[in-house]
Short mmCIF file of all heavy atoms in Angstrom, two decimals:
data_model
loop_
_atom_site.label_atom_id
_atom_site.label_comp_id
_atom_site.label_asym_id
_atom_site.label_seq_id
_atom_site.Cartn_x
_atom_site.Cartn_y
_atom_site.Cartn_z
N LEU A 87 38.03 -8.02 -28.75
CA LEU A 87 39.37 -8.61 -28.62
C LEU A 87 39.62 -9.14 -27.20
O LEU A 87 40.27 -10.18 -27.03
CB LEU A 87 40.44 -7.59 -29.02
CG LEU A 87 40.45 -7.17 -30.48
CD1 LEU A 87 41.40 -6.01 -30.71
CD2 LEU A 87 40.80 -8.34 -31.39
N LEU A 88 39.09 -8.45 -26.20
CA LEU A 88 39.19 -8.94 -24.83
C LEU A 88 38.36 -10.21 -24.64
O LEU A 88 38.80 -11.16 -23.99
CB LEU A 88 38.73 -7.86 -23.84
CG LEU A 88 39.70 -6.71 -23.60
CD1 LEU A 88 38.98 -5.53 -22.96
CD2 LEU A 88 40.88 -7.16 -22.75
N TYR A 89 37.17 -10.24 -25.22
CA TYR A 89 36.28 -11.39 -25.13
C TYR A 89 36.93 -12.64 -25.73
O TYR A 89 36.82 -13.73 -25.18
CB TYR A 89 34.96 -11.07 -25.84
CG TYR A 89 34.03 -12.24 -25.98
CD1 TYR A 89 33.29 -12.69 -24.89
CD2 TYR A 89 33.89 -12.91 -27.19
CE1 TYR A 89 32.43 -13.77 -25.00
CE2 TYR A 89 33.04 -13.99 -27.31
CZ TYR A 89 32.32 -14.42 -26.22
OH TYR A 89 31.48 -15.49 -26.34
N LEU A 90 37.64 -12.46 -26.85
CA LEU A 90 38.29 -13.58 -27.52
C LEU A 90 39.60 -14.00 -26.84
O LEU A 90 40.19 -15.01 -27.21
CB LEU A 90 38.56 -13.24 -28.99
CG LEU A 90 37.33 -13.11 -29.87
CD1 LEU A 90 37.70 -12.57 -31.23
CD2 LEU A 90 36.63 -14.46 -30.00
N GLY A 91 40.06 -13.21 -25.89
CA GLY A 91 41.29 -13.54 -25.21
C GLY A 91 42.55 -13.13 -25.97
O GLY A 91 43.65 -13.57 -25.63
N LEU A 92 42.39 -12.28 -26.99
CA LEU A 92 43.54 -11.80 -27.74
C LEU A 92 44.22 -10.64 -27.03
O LEU A 92 45.39 -10.36 -27.25
CB LEU A 92 43.12 -11.40 -29.16
CG LEU A 92 42.47 -12.52 -29.99
CD1 LEU A 92 42.00 -11.98 -31.34
CD2 LEU A 92 43.41 -13.68 -30.18
N LEU A 93 43.45 -9.96 -26.19
CA LEU A 93 43.97 -8.88 -25.34
C LEU A 93 43.68 -9.24 -23.89
O LEU A 93 42.79 -10.03 -23.61
CB LEU A 93 43.26 -7.55 -25.64
CG LEU A 93 43.59 -6.80 -26.90
CD1 LEU A 93 42.76 -5.52 -26.95
CD2 LEU A 93 45.05 -6.48 -27.00
N GLU A 94 44.45 -8.61 -23.00
CA GLU A 94 44.18 -8.79 -21.57
C GLU A 94 44.42 -7.47 -20.86
O GLU A 94 45.16 -6.61 -21.34
CB GLU A 94 45.06 -9.89 -20.99
CG GLU A 94 46.55 -9.67 -21.16
CD GLU A 94 47.39 -10.89 -20.80
OE1 GLU A 94 46.83 -11.99 -20.67
OE2 GLU A 94 48.60 -10.71 -20.66
N ASN A 95 43.77 -7.32 -19.72
CA ASN A 95 43.96 -6.15 -18.84
C ASN A 95 44.79 -6.60 -17.65
O ASN A 95 44.49 -7.62 -17.04
CB ASN A 95 42.61 -5.65 -18.32
CG ASN A 95 41.98 -4.63 -19.22
OD1 ASN A 95 42.65 -3.94 -19.96
ND2 ASN A 95 40.67 -4.55 -19.15
N ASP A 96 45.81 -5.81 -17.31
CA ASP A 96 46.53 -6.12 -16.09
C ASP A 96 45.88 -5.37 -14.93
O ASP A 96 44.85 -4.72 -15.10
CB ASP A 96 48.03 -5.84 -16.23
CG ASP A 96 48.34 -4.36 -16.45
OD1 ASP A 96 47.42 -3.53 -16.35
OD2 ASP A 96 49.51 -4.06 -16.72
N GLN A 97 46.48 -5.44 -13.75
CA GLN A 97 45.88 -4.82 -12.57
C GLN A 97 45.78 -3.31 -12.69
O GLN A 97 44.92 -2.68 -12.09
CB GLN A 97 46.68 -5.18 -11.33
CG GLN A 97 46.52 -6.64 -10.96
CD GLN A 97 47.35 -7.00 -9.75
OE1 GLN A 97 48.28 -6.31 -9.39
NE2 GLN A 97 46.99 -8.10 -9.12
N ALA A 98 46.67 -2.70 -13.47
CA ALA A 98 46.66 -1.24 -13.63
C ALA A 98 45.76 -0.81 -14.79
O ALA A 98 45.84 0.32 -15.24
CB ALA A 98 48.08 -0.74 -13.85
N LYS A 99 44.91 -1.72 -15.29
CA LYS A 99 43.99 -1.43 -16.39
C LYS A 99 44.72 -1.10 -17.70
O LYS A 99 44.25 -0.30 -18.49
CB LYS A 99 43.03 -0.28 -16.04
CG LYS A 99 42.18 -0.53 -14.83
CD LYS A 99 41.00 -1.38 -15.18
CE LYS A 99 40.08 -1.48 -13.99
NZ LYS A 99 38.97 -2.32 -14.24
N MET A 100 45.90 -1.70 -17.88
CA MET A 100 46.66 -1.49 -19.10
C MET A 100 46.34 -2.63 -20.06
O MET A 100 46.32 -3.80 -19.67
CB MET A 100 48.16 -1.47 -18.81
CG MET A 100 48.55 -0.40 -17.80
SD MET A 100 48.22 1.24 -18.37
CE MET A 100 49.73 1.57 -19.19
N LEU A 101 46.10 -2.29 -21.32
CA LEU A 101 45.81 -3.29 -22.34
C LEU A 101 47.11 -3.88 -22.85
O LEU A 101 48.05 -3.16 -23.17
CB LEU A 101 45.06 -2.64 -23.51
CG LEU A 101 43.69 -2.08 -23.19
CD1 LEU A 101 43.21 -1.18 -24.32
CD2 LEU A 101 42.70 -3.22 -22.97
#
Side-chain angles (χ1 to χ4, degrees):
L87 294 171
L88 285 163
Y89 172 77
L90 291 172
L92 301 176
L93 286 181
E94 58 190 14
N95 271 334
D96 64 8
Q97 290 178 341
K99 301 279 186 182
M100 302 297 271
L101 296 166

